[in-house]
Amino acid sequence: MKIGVAGAGAVGGYFGGVLAQAGNQVVFLARGAHLEAMKAQGLRIESAKGEFTADGIFTNDIHSFKGLDLILFCVKSTDTKSVAEQLKNILDDSTRILVMQNGIDNEEILSEMFGKERVLSTATYLSASVKEPGIIHQFGEPRLPIGTLNRTADPFAKEVVAVFNHSGVKSWASDDIICTKWQKLLWNVTFNPLSAIVKADVGQILDDPLLRRTAGSIQKEAFLVAKKKGIRIAPEILEQIFMGAEKRARNHKTSMLQDRLKGKRMEIESLCGYLVREGERLRVETPVLQAIYVILTFIEQQELNL
């Protein structure tokens, strides 16, 4: 399969790397020192299953995406609209897009631009980071449920699932990917915002009684928003999130924390702002989320001089 990776950071770099290693033709869109390192020595993947160097086309020219079968859309949510607008006049009409971003609002933007039938989505269960330019470090077992936005069977979606499984990434077809993404959003909003504010990994949040209690309050508010929207999530998922984090993610530095430490913009709007706004619209009270949203926004404005 001919695949483009829009945003070859930790998520895009890892999945693009294993797909390239499995024999797919992969074009990586990146920039800066990360791009230069990949051009010079390929993309180094340090994973739980071993280390390898992936080859591919490494570029900052978005026109290189013409003629591809699938785009892994992995840019930060803050860049979704601008990158989608650039791709709109470049991609072939047959090219499909797989959303691999945090949050659940990116699908709406991409559906408006490309049509709902061309957009697939997944919840990316992955612990990875850019160790240094050109090197992705990953641990644990990545998992990818993949599905359409309209809950219909899709032969191409099944083909994408097969391609990922062939590359060694556990993948399966989901008949309700939006519900699955909401479950992932609950995980992210439980740990990402707090970790970014206090600069702590997941284990530190779990071990501190006050931080853990605050994380639980955030989680419950987000769950109530989902419930009011008609998203069918079992209440026991809340405790399962904490149990799973204890087992698999204690040493994990969240993506929002990684962004803050690197001086990059954080995905505040997709993870916090969206839930606050939906809460206001649906008349669901979210006082802890609102406080976290204000604090993070202030931190970002001060540190990035916005």
Side-chain angles (χ1 to χ4, degrees), residues 144-163:
L144 288 178
I146 297 172
T148 64
L149 302 185
N150 52 13
R151 298 185 181 183
T152 59
D154 186 324
F156 186 79
K158 292 182 179 179
E159 185 179 349
V160 173
V161 168
V163 167

Side-chain angles (χ1 to χ4, degrees), residues 157-231:
K158 292 182 179 179
E159 185 179 349
V160 173
V161 168
V163 167
F164 274 107
N165 278 317
H166 178 71
S167 72
V169 176
K170 184 179 179 180
S171 305
W172 64 95
S174 170
D175 59 3
D176 192 351
I177 193 61
I178 296 303
C179 179
T180 303
K181 291 214 57 160
W182 264 94
Q183 293 181 24
K184 177 67 185 302
L185 176 63
L186 285 175
W187 195 102
N188 279 327
V189 80
T190 299
F191 297 109
N192 267 266
L194 270 183
S195 71
I197 289 173
V198 300
K199 296 184 178 179
D201 61 25
V202 170
Q204 289 173 299
I205 293 174
L206 292 172
D207 292 340
D208 185 278
L210 293 178
L211 288 177
R212 185 175 182 129
R213 185 186 305 168
T214 303
S217 297
I218 293 170
Q219 182 191 72
K220 289 174 184 176
E221 290 179 2
F223 175 78
L224 290 175
V225 173
K227 185 177 180 180
K228 194 65 178 286
K229 284 179 67 69
I231 307 298

Side-chain angles (χ1 to χ4, degrees), residues 2-288:
K2 297 178 181 178
I3 300 167
V5 178
V11 173
Y14 174 75
F15 287 118
V18 296
L19 289 169
Q21 182 74 356
N24 297 283
Q25 180 182 319
V26 183
V27 181
F28 297 85
L29 186 70
R31 58 190 176 189
H34 190 47
L35 172 60
E36 296 308 314
M38 290 189 291
K39 280 184 173 181
Q41 58 195 29
L43 175 59
R44 185 73 178 167
I45 304 291
E46 300 176 351
S47 78
K49 297 181 180 179
E51 300 182 8
F52 63 90
T53 299
D55 293 320
I57 298 173
F58 305 103
T59 180
N60 59 0
D61 183 5
I62 203 166
H63 290 85
S64 300
F65 279 8
K66 184 149 186 76
L68 301 182
D69 302 310
L70 176 70
I71 304 299
L72 307 187
F73 203 84
C74 309
V75 302
K76 292 296 181 182
S77 297
T78 52
D79 297 324
T80 294
K81 190 171 183 178
S82 62
V83 173
E85 287 174 341
Q86 294 177 63
L87 288 173
K88 187 171 178 60
N89 297 320
I90 295 171
L91 298 185
D92 294 352
D93 291 341
S94 60
T95 303
R96 303 289 292 276
I97 299 166
L98 176 61
V99 183
M100 307 189 83
Q101 300 162 285
N102 287 328
I104 44 86
D105 54 340
N106 299 292
E107 285 82 355
E108 296 176 9
I109 297 172
L110 293 168
S111 293
E112 288 177 4
M113 290 197 180
F114 298 99
K116 199 172 186 179
E117 70 283 354
R118 291 179 63 186
V119 180
L120 303 173
S121 188
T122 182
T124 54
Y125 295 98
L126 174 73
S127 295
S129 61
V130 179
K131 182 177 179 180
E132 58 184 80
I135 301 178
I136 305 293
H137 178 71
Q138 178 270 334
F139 62 92
E141 182 184 11
R143 295 166 291 138
L144 288 178
I146 297 172
T148 64
L149 302 185
N150 52 13
R151 298 185 181 183
T152 59
D154 186 324
F156 186 79
K158 292 182 179 179
E159 185 179 349
V160 173
V161 168
V163 167
F164 274 107
N165 278 317
H166 178 71
S167 72
V169 176
K170 184 179 179 180
S171 305
W172 64 95
S174 170
D175 59 3
D176 192 351
I177 193 61
I178 296 303
C179 179
T180 303
K181 291 214 57 160
W182 264 94
Q183 293 181 24
K184 177 67 185 302
L185 176 63
L186 285 175
W187 195 102
N188 279 327
V189 80
T190 299
F191 297 109
N192 267 266
L194 270 183
S195 71
I197 289 173
V198 300
K199 296 184 178 179
D201 61 25
V202 170
Q204 289 173 299
I205 293 174
L206 292 172
D207 292 340
D208 185 278
L210 293 178
L211 288 177
R212 185 175 182 129
R213 185 186 305 168
T214 303
S217 297
I218 293 170
Q219 182 191 72
K220 289 174 184 176
E221 290 179 2
F223 175 78
L224 290 175
V225 173
K227 185 177 180 180
K228 194 65 178 286
K229 284 179 67 69
I231 307 298
R232 294 172 300 201
I233 300 176
E236 53 265 30
I237 194 69
L238 303 183
E239 184 57 33
Q240 289 173 10
I241 286 172
F242 280 102
M243 292 172 60
E246 287 275 11
K247 293 179 181 179
R248 295 186 292 270
R250 288 190 59 85
N251 298 321
H252 178 57
K253 286 184 170 59
T254 69
S255 59
M256 190 175 279
L257 173 58
Q258 292 181 46
D259 286 340
R260 184 183 177 191
L261 294 176
K262 293 175 183 176
K264 296 181 178 180
R265 293 196 66 181
M266 298 176 281
E267 294 181 302
I268 300 170
E269 293 301 329
S270 282
L271 290 183
C272 301
Y274 173 80
L275 289 167
V276 169
R277 288 188 293 273
E278 284 296 279
E280 291 174 348
R281 184 178 70 84
L282 298 169
R283 297 182 180 178
V284 176
E285 294 187 358
T286 58
V288 182

